[in-house]
């Protein structure tokens, strides 16, 4: 989930390349995550508007439907804050951790009221309230004195309890009064000696058929889980191009369809909180032209009379990461769940024409097919084929 920010810090890029990463290492913890239907209804048009609204409100308005309230499948992790347990959205596109949208936060013996206000604006919603510090536990790991926002006022988050932010710490800038930034959960896991390196591995898996609410994902804290990917991990430096440098930004050197270029080098962000895959308008139009598709007026989604048979791919770090038609098309078994008629619709959408608005987002529908790694220690992002 993308947080709109007004300030950022350029960071140095230290490493790129392809490495094989072992799973068995000290202080590496795996945590199951679940896919949860968090809205009362499921609408891909509303989902598209919500995704677009996170980073480009003008593009969202063009869809013709107000941003939805989590009208999608959201990956959540059961997280204990103090004595309460919350289902928190796993979000690499923001960095604050807050609770209270669903289950209300009740400060207890481990909590401390800092007397500071906190406020975070997301493109698709906002939250504000008071900052506490409290004990946070998940997957057998416990963090003490973690900054927690008590979200007494929020919009756009009905059906979920809050967010656990796994984005860069700079995204917390100016979110808590009197603080420049606040340490993230990953920062505190490292500083408190619970992990030996600040690395997050993320494994998603597409749902089969029309089932929902599956425990079909995993977070790996402090390293990677080699059982979740095959081959080696391709690492690329975290972007230094504004505004992508604020987030987990990467350089996509080319976008191809059927082996032919439809888009040149561009910056993108990798975001577990965005559902679809958004590419710049020029690349999107080229994709439709090459595949024989159009934009469906009723949904805003790419659609085809005859399903395309060629692959779509991003080249990142010199490696082509491919999506087959079965991976970039909405499964026929899920059409009715999302209120779609029979036909062929795609998970790849128009992100807008202006790079400054963040018009290139690699969301869940790519990440469900690849293992992803967010390495704060070495300022890099990695991808590998999902096992």
């Amino acid at each position: 989930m993308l947080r709109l920010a007004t300030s950022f810090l350029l960071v140095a890029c230290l490493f790129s390349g392809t490495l094989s990463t072992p799973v068995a290492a000290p202080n590496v913890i795996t945590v199951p995550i679940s896919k949860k239907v968090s809205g009362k209804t499921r609408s891909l048009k509303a989902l598209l508007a919500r995704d677009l609204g996170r980073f480009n409100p003008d593009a969202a308005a063009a869809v013709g439907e107000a941003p939805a309230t989590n009208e999608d499948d959201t990956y959540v992790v059961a997280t204990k804050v103090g004595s309460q347990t919350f289902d928190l959205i796993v979000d690499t596109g923001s960095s604050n951790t807050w609770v209270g949208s669903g289950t209300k936060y009740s400060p207890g013996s481990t909590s401390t009221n800092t007397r500071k206000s906190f406020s975070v604006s997301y493109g698709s919603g906002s939250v504000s309230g008071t900052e506490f510090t409290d004990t946070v536990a998940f997957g057998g790991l416990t963090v003490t004195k973690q900054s927690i926002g008590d979200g007494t006022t929020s919009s756009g988050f009905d059906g979920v309890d809050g967010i656990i932010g796994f984005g860069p710490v700079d995204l917390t800038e100016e979110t808590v009064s009197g603080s420049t930034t606040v340490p993230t959960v990953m920062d505190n896991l490292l500083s408190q000696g619970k992990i030996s390196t600040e690395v997050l591995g993320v494994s998603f898996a597409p749902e089969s058929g029309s089932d929902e609410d599956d425990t079909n994902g995993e977070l790996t804290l402090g390293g990677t889980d080699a059982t979740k990917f095959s081959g080696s991990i391709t690492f690329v430096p975290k972007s230094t191009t504004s505004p992508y440098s604020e987030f987990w930004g990467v350089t996509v050197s080319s976008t191809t369809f059927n082996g032919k270029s439809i888009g040149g080098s561009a910056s993108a962000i990798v975001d577990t909180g965005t559902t679809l895959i958004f590419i710049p308008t020029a690349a999107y139009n080229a994709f439709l032209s090459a595949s024989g598709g159009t934009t469906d007026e009723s949904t805003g989604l790419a659609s085809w009379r005859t399903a395309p048979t060629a692959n779509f791919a991003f080249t990142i770090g010199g490696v082509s990461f491919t999506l087959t038609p079965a991976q970039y098309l909405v499964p026929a078994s899920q059409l009715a769940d999302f209120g779609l008629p029979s036909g062929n619709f795609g998970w790849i959408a128009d992100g807008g024409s202006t790079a400054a608005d963040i018009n290139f987002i690699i969301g869940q529908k790519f990440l469900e097919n690849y293992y992803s790694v967010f390495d704060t220690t070495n300022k890099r992002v990695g991808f590998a084929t999902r096992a």
Side-chain angles (χ1 to χ4, degrees), residues 6 30 37 51 86 98 102 109 119 137 180 184 193 196 247 251 323 356 361:
T6 58
T30 59
V37 177
D51 273 357
F86 300 89
W98 62 271
S109 60
S119 178
T180 303
T184 67
S196 57
F247 304 91
T251 298
L323 296 179
I361 294 188

Side-chain angles (χ1 to χ4, degrees), residues 36 78 97 123 234 372 378:
K36 176 183 179 182
T97 295
T234 297
S372 54
N378 296 295

Side-chain angles (χ1 to χ4, degrees), residues 1-18:
M1 182 170 297
L2 188 63
R3 185 177 75 79
L4 301 183
T6 58
S7 60
F8 55 88
L9 179 66
L10 297 180
V11 296
C13 295
L14 300 180
F15 186 88
S16 65
T18 304

